[in-house]
């Protein structure tokens, strides 16, 4: 049983925030690099890897199957080795429960997967049925389940409905080069969400020397050796968005170091969103080293514009944008995000409940949220063991006195030390 912890009183800003923030590495890139390095033909090094609960769970899963992983002076070295049967703990990490089962199909013995109680309700049948269609033996349809294969799976073509999560596609693609005939994934069903994450997967496969053919709703990964290489992980742009939101809601200016000019991370979309909401957004020459920093300057407090956004490709930004919308001067509609009902929690229900609990007006739509600004008051903001729900509460707490975020430690899933970073920003 989880120990009870005191609620975290979100610090309130009593003027415009002016701050420069360093953001640790991308969780999405880190965990993809771990998978590709573990399946590579020779060792790899990962520079700038994120160290968080999700990435630790990924590293531990691969170690448990036999991969050598060591962290030396900030560089993670990955030594591939024959994979064997074991037990994998997924926690609440979607990338572990969706990316690692295809890897486990390459192991010499059964691999049992389990996770947090909340993870046992997350949809898994899509990838498990796909592995069954590819000749892999699976026992169970949700956590806990067991993956077992006799020899290297043949692979081939598989049709899946990945409308609940793009992770189902990425999970199959990442391990596909090691299947005898590779894997062709054909998406059949409603609109595929979070397409940039699949583009990230394809780009990283190609960087590792793998041939990938793409057409609409279809990806063909050819078999072949995955190259060991040096991976350099970009800052996590989705983790940067709450800090940029701080500038937007306080009329301040926040700079995030080393913003990549060319990236597949969905978090990059925050630049356009903040501009549409009335912020000034500038890429400026980096204060130290090559490249650029991103600087966001907010409008006068209370003057944020409402927005009408299709967020189907950028669903992970929804909690940040919903918090901004609750503090805007006009209504906002966030659509294309029905799939968020299957994330760490039902994010649409959670956001609606918590915004309304503080006096706001948030209505669930079939595929999104209608947020009509209303005067907010203090109270407890529940996180639902969801890191992005916790950071959304922190954003609102910047301008609403007395917001207490329940279980702020859930942010360690992707950004350990968030509450200290946040307090440092607010208090200067």
């Amino acid at each position: 049983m989880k120990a009870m912890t005191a609620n975290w009183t979100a610090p309130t800003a009593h003027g415009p925030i002016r701050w420069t923030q360093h953001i640790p590495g991308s969780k999405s890139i880190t965990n993809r690099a771990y998978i590709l390095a573990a399946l590579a033909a020779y060792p790899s090094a990962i520079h700038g890897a994120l160290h968080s609960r999700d990435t630790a769970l990924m590293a531990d899963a691969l170690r448990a199957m036999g991969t050598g992983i060591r962290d030396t002076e900030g560089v993670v070295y990955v030594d591939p080795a024959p994979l064997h049967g074991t037990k994998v703990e997924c926690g609440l990490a979607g990338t572990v429960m969706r990316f690692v089962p295809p890897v486990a199909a390459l192991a010499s013995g059964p691999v049992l997967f389990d996770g947090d109680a909340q993870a046992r309700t997350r949809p898994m049948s899509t990838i498990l049925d796909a592995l069954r269609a590819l000749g892999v033996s699976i026992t169970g349809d949700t956590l806990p389940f067991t993956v077992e294969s006799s020899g290297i799976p043949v692979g081939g073509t598989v049709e899946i409905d990945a409308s609940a999560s793009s992770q189902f596609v990425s999970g199959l693609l990442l391990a596909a080069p090691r299947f005898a005939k590779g894997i062709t994934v054909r998406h059949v069903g409603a609109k595929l969400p979070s397409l940039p994450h699949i583009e990230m997967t394809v780009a990283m496969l190609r960087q590792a020397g793998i041939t990938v053919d793409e057409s609409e709703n279809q990806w063909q990964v050819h078999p072949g050796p995955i190259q060991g290489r040096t991976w350099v992980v970009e800052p996590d742009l989705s983790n940067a968005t709450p800090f940029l939101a701080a500038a937007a809601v306080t009329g301040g200016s926040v700079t995030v170091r080393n913003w990549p000019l060319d990236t597949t991370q969905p978090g990059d979309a925050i630049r356009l969103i903040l501009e549409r909401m009335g912020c000034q957004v500038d890429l400026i020459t980096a204060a130290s080293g090559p490249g650029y920093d991103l600087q966001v300057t907010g409008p006068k407090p209370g003057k944020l514009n409402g927005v009408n956004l299709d967020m189907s490709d950028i669903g992970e930004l929804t909690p940040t944008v919903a918090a901004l919308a609750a503090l805007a001067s006009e209504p906002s509609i966030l659509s294309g995000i029905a799939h968020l009902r299957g994330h760490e929690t039902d994010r649409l229900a959670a956001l609606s409940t918590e915004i309304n609990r503080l006096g706001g007006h948030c209505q669930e739509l079939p595929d999104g949220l209608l947020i009509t600004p209303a005067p907010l008051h203090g109270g407890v903001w529940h996180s639902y063991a969801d890191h992005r729900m916790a950071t959304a509460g922190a954003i609102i707490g910047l301008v609403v006195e007395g917001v207490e975020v329940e279980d702020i430690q859930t942010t360690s899933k992707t950004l350990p030390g968030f509450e200290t970073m946040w307090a440092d920003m607010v208090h200067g």
Side-chain angles (χ1 to χ4, degrees):
M1 184 174 179
K2 186 175 179 178
M4 297 294 291
T5 57
N7 295 332
W8 176 73
T9 300
T12 302
H14 298 288
I17 285 178
R18 305 195 184 282
W19 188 249
T20 296
Q21 184 66 53
H22 166 77
I23 301 294
S26 161
K27 180 198 78 172
S28 298
I29 295 175
T30 298
N31 276 351
R32 283 164 173 79
Y34 269 132
I35 294 282
L36 292 172
L39 296 178
Y42 46 92
S44 297
I46 306 174
H47 293 256
L50 176 67
H51 295 283
S52 70
R53 188 186 185 213
D54 273 19
T55 59
L57 286 166
M58 178 65 79
D60 288 345
L62 297 172
R63 279 194 193 99
M65 288 192 289
T67 304
I69 299 176
R70 68 189 191 281
D71 189 334
T72 305
E73 297 182 351
V75 180
V76 176
Y77 295 94
V78 181
D79 297 311
L83 303 177
H84 55 70
T86 189
K87 178 179 179 181
V88 167
E89 172 59 48
C90 299
L92 196 56
T95 49
V96 178
M97 64 184 77
R98 277 87 178 255
F99 290 4
V100 181
V103 176
L106 302 166
S108 60
V111 180
L112 170 64
F113 289 79
D114 205 353
D116 293 358
Q118 198 167 327
R120 294 184 176 187
T121 67
R122 297 189 70 175
M124 286 297 305
S125 59
T126 299
I127 199 159
L128 299 182
D129 287 344
L131 289 171
R132 289 184 178 108
L134 294 168
V136 180
S137 175
I138 309 288
T139 303
D141 292 306
T142 58
L143 289 168
F145 60 83
T146 300
V147 177
E148 188 169 10
S149 182
S150 55
I152 299 299
V154 174
T157 299
V158 65
E159 292 188 346
I160 66 172
D161 180 355
S163 56
S165 175
S166 67
Q167 289 177 348
F168 296 128
V169 175
S170 287
L172 292 167
L173 299 185
L174 287 166
R178 291 284 303 274
F179 282 56
K181 293 184 177 179
I183 296 177
T184 298
V185 179
R186 187 175 298 135
H187 166 63
V188 292
K191 183 177 179 180
L192 188 65
S194 304
L195 191 59
H197 277 125
I198 298 177
E199 294 169 351
M200 176 187 293
T201 299
V202 170
M204 292 181 69
L205 280 162
R206 287 174 173 158
Q207 290 167 27
I210 298 301
T211 300
V212 184
D213 297 327
E214 297 176 87
S215 55
E216 186 175 0
N217 288 331
Q218 180 171 300
W219 299 265
Q220 181 182 10
V221 177
H222 294 259
I226 298 171
Q227 295 174 3
R229 66 188 304 274
T230 297
W231 296 99
V232 179
V233 180
E234 300 168 357
D236 192 308
L237 305 189
S238 293
N239 279 343
T241 64
F243 296 92
L244 299 173
V249 301
T250 67
S253 182
V254 171
T255 299
V256 171
R257 296 285 194 208
N258 302 313
W259 197 274
L261 286 181
D262 183 18
T263 182
T264 54
Q265 288 192 65
D268 190 48
I270 196 66
R271 294 193 289 155
L272 180 58
I273 293 171
L274 289 172
E275 282 186 341
R276 289 180 59 178
M277 297 191 84
C279 298
Q280 181 178 332
V281 180
D282 298 296
L283 282 166
I284 60 177
T285 302
S288 60
Y292 293 86
D293 298 337
L294 182 70
Q295 184 177 74
V296 170
T297 303
K300 291 182 179 179
K303 298 297 184 181
L304 279 177
N305 303 327
V307 286
N308 189 333
L309 294 174
D310 178 352
M311 300 189 69
S312 55
D313 283 345
I314 52 174
E316 65 190 52
L317 302 189
T318 300
T320 292
V321 178
L324 289 167
L327 298 169
S329 59
E330 306 163 320
S332 295
I333 296 176
L334 313 181
S335 60
I337 46 177
H339 61 284
L340 296 190
R341 292 189 169 97
H343 275 220
E344 281 85 342
T345 186
D346 178 341
R347 280 184 175 162
L348 301 188
L351 285 164
S352 181
T353 297
E354 298 311 308
I355 289 171
N356 293 340
R357 190 194 305 277
L358 300 186
H361 191 276
C362 182
Q363 176 186 347
E364 278 194 68
L365 305 175
D367 73 335
L369 299 170
L370 168 61
I371 301 173
T372 304
L376 301 181
H377 55 71
V380 176
W381 176 278
H382 294 87
S383 69
Y384 303 81
D386 183 335
H387 55 130
R388 301 205 192 281
M389 282 297 300
T391 56
I395 294 167
I396 291 175
L398 286 172
V399 293
V400 178
E401 294 270 6
V403 173
E404 296 184 10
V405 179
E406 173 260 341
D407 191 17
I408 192 64
Q409 289 299 321
T410 196
T411 54
S412 65
K413 176 179 170 67
T414 59
L415 190 55
F418 166 80
E419 64 271 30
T420 299
M421 297 164 67
W422 195 255
D424 288 345
M425 174 189 71
V426 176
H427 300 307

